Amino acid sequence: MINIAVQALAVVGFLLLVSLCYRLLSFIWFYRLRRTSVQQYLHDDSSAYALITGASDGIGRAVAQELYDKGFNLIIHGRNEDKVRGVAEDLRARGSQDVQYFIADAENSGHDFAQLIKPLKRLNVTLVVHNVGGTIMSRERHAHPSSPHIPYTMIDGLSEADLQSIVTRNAFFPLFLTRALLPQLRLSAISGPVLVQFVGSQTADIAPPRLPVYSASKAFLRALARGLDNDERFWGAPTGVRFAYLALGEVRTHTHDSAHSATSPSAESLAQALVARIGCGKRAYTPYMWHAILQWLLGFLPETTVDDYAAEAMAEVFARRKKAA
Ligand SMILES: NC(=O)c1ccc[n+]([C@@H]2O[C@H](COP(=O)([O-])OP(=O)(O)OC[C@H]3O[C@@H](n4cnc5c(N)ncnc54)[C@H](OP(=O)(O)O)[C@@H]3O)[C@@H](O)[C@H]2O)c1
């Protein structure tokens, strides 16, 4: 009897070891060995466009640069026309591909999305990176760039319009833009693969204090990506338009002034990792290796410990902002 129990334990141990080795090897392959397959979205005739929202600064701008350098024509989006035009000119100076842009404040509701993308209707869009997003703080920072200390507030300290603007920027804007683009994307998918990516955040899993609405909006994107992907694949011939959700940890940008560390890369490093993993076939993943390691480690901790850790990290952000003010 004891012998059987020992043998059963040995088998379970062996299976656990195999599974651990498999996960470790998959991790190494994904982050260190796998070669990028982003070129598949260039199709054959070099007419392919990548559309990136929130591309006048931060991660979006760095992603636009990476994709331009990989040979994509670009459609970039932002809210400040002078700034977006300047970024478009800088991009064009890097090569010979086309760069177009459109302007829309993603916090405002009521856009006529069909009208917004009308000038882009004939373009072969093969890649969409829904990058625009952020917390209430980035909105305040944009409105008051000279006052870096923005108080984080609980939801009853924010107006309904403030709360709505967070959800609109992070969730509804990408949803409605995707809806308007879909027929065009399905046409592009006839000649090759097409991918729509939603830039999410690890806060969707952790939901730190003072960011519940932002975190919930990012969680919305995760379900949306999977649901839309299934929509395009089932109950009819698959259209070839695929969707993915990207979970990002801290990235140093002008709206997120975290200290330099392995888990807090520059927008450029993050963009390199993001573009390198485009086309990996996963529907939800963490493009930057150190963010993935952090996420994995947090997975071993009890939820209450993660909550304490997140609250402490947020307190550090408050303190840093206060000092900078
Ligand atoms: N940075 C991080 O630590 C971090 C972590 C996890 C997830 N993310 C996600 O990554 C994405 C990019 O973040 P980021 O740090 O690069 O942000 P960022 O530095 O604030 O840049 C965001 C870009 O979006 C534009 N934008 C912001 N609000 C807009 C609006 N209402 N309408 C139109 N354009 C708008 C900005 O335009 P302006 O140039 O006019 O400001 C800028 O081009 C966001 O979805 C964010 O939630 C960031």
Side-chain angles (χ1 to χ4, degrees):
M1 190 67 183
I2 290 178
N3 261 352
I4 293 176
V6 169
Q7 279 173 6
L9 273 179
V11 169
V12 170
F14 176 74
L15 290 177
L16 281 177
L17 191 68
V18 169
S19 140
L20 203 66
C21 288
Y22 175 76
R23 288 179 64 186
L24 184 66
L25 289 174
S26 304
F27 186 91
I28 294 170
W29 179 82
F30 189 68
Y31 288 105
R32 308 307 289 177
L33 303 177
R34 184 186 164 275
R35 292 184 62 190
T36 181
S37 53
V38 66
Q39 290 84 356
Q40 64 183 297
Y41 301 100
L42 280 170
H43 294 191
D44 289 334
D45 55 1
S46 51
S47 67
Y49 279 77
L51 186 158
I52 304 114
T53 65
S56 57
D57 219 321
I59 297 166
R61 181 182 179 154
V63 168
Q65 284 174 354
E66 274 288 309
L67 289 172
Y68 193 80
D69 292 347
K70 294 265 181 292
F72 284 85
N73 300 294
L74 295 180
I75 302 163
I76 58 172
H77 153 264
R79 60 183 155 187
N80 174 335
E81 183 148 14
D82 288 343
K83 194 168 173 183
V84 177
R85 194 186 307 115
V87 172
E89 280 163 14
D90 289 350
L91 286 164
R92 287 187 199 111
R94 297 169 84 93
S96 57
Q97 299 100 272
D98 184 31
V99 182
Q100 306 213 12
Y101 64 82
F102 68 101
I103 305 298
D105 190 328
E107 275 167 38
N108 295 343
S109 44
H111 291 297
D112 182 343
F113 283 87
Q115 201 58 34
L116 213 56
I117 61 158
K118 205 172 170 191
L120 317 168
K121 211 66 195 156
R122 293 186 176 280
L123 303 180
N124 179 28
V125 179
T126 62
L127 194 55
V128 178
V129 183
H130 285 295
N131 164 75
V132 74
T135 61
I136 187 74
M137 285 73 70
S138 40
R139 174 177 179 236
E140 291 295 320
R141 282 198 153 199
H142 178 69
H144 311 289
S146 57
S147 95
H149 174 48
I150 309 298
Y152 287 64
T153 323
M154 295 191 202
I155 61 162
D156 53 334
L158 295 168
S159 67
E160 283 184 14
D162 285 337
L163 295 175
Q164 207 158 16
S165 77
I166 303 174
V167 181
T168 301
R169 176 157 53 135
N170 288 287
F172 288 137
F173 187 83
L175 168 65
F176 296 151
L177 182 58
T178 302
R179 177 180 176 276
L181 285 168
L182 255 181
Q184 182 175 355
L185 296 177
R186 291 188 190 121
L187 275 180
S188 296
I190 294 171
S191 46
V194 170
L195 179 67
V196 180
Q197 298 200 308
F198 295 98
V199 173
S201 166
Q202 289 179 337
T203 62
D205 298 308
I206 298 170
R210 307 300 184 270
L211 296 180
V213 183
Y214 170 74
S215 307
S217 305
K218 294 299 192 184
F220 171 95
L221 293 181
R222 188 175 50 205
L224 184 70
R226 184 167 174 174
L228 290 175
D229 199 61
N230 287 334
D231 251 0
E232 297 298 307
R233 288 168 61 227
F234 294 109
W235 298 347
T239 65
V241 182
R242 304 299 310 267
F243 292 83
Y245 169 82
L246 312 181
L248 268 51
E250 273 195 323
V251 182
R252 283 176 287 120
T253 61
H254 77 295
T255 45
H256 192 83
D257 48 359
S258 53
H260 181 100
S261 74
T263 54
S264 181
S266 65
E268 289 71 26
S269 303
L270 191 282
Q272 277 171 13
L274 189 154
V275 170
R277 309 226 145 79
I278 286 177
C280 67
K282 293 181 189 246
R283 281 199 300 202
Y285 61 97
T286 303
Y288 187 69
M289 187 182 75
W290 289 102
H291 289 162
I293 291 173
L294 188 63
Q295 197 169 16
W296 182 73
L297 289 173
L298 289 176
F300 287 104
L301 300 176
E303 193 171 291
T304 47
T305 311
V306 175
D307 288 347
D308 289 345
Y309 166 82
E312 224 170 87
M314 285 300 288
E316 275 171 28
V317 175
F318 292 159
R320 211 167 39 239
R321 294 258 162 99
K322 206 169 177 180
K323 210 170 149 195

